[in-house]
Amino acid sequence: MSEAQRVDCMKCRYFYVTWDPKFPKGCKAFGFKSHSMPSLTVLSSSGKPCMNFEPKDGLRAP
């Protein structure tokens, strides 16, 4: 995957950190928790980069 397609979950308004040690990262847009970054889980399951990325308030899109 090229840098242009890479999605940075840490800058997305839907990313959150969970209290579950087995699944510490979550995505509110897709409604799941994951061990890895949610954008990588979306890419591996769908074969496409995350299309729900929205920058957090105060941040610009990449």
Side-chain angles (χ1 to χ4, degrees):
M1 179 164 65
S2 72
E3 288 297 316
Q5 291 179 323
R6 182 173 226 153
V7 176
D8 186 358
C9 291
M10 300 292 277
K11 295 180 181 177
C12 181
R13 73 180 318 143
Y14 299 117
F15 175 78
Y16 68 102
V17 177
T18 75
W19 289 98
D20 188 342
K22 292 183 181 179
F23 304 103
K25 300 166 183 90
C27 177
K28 293 178 185 176
F30 285 111
F32 71 87
K33 298 184 289 186
S34 175
H35 180 71
S36 61
M37 280 296 184
S39 62
L40 296 177
T41 304
V42 169
L43 180 65
S44 68
S45 22
S46 70
K48 298 178 182 177
C50 179
M51 301 300 282
N52 283 338
F53 175 83
E54 285 188 32
K56 290 181 181 180
D57 293 336
L59 296 177
R60 291 184 287 142

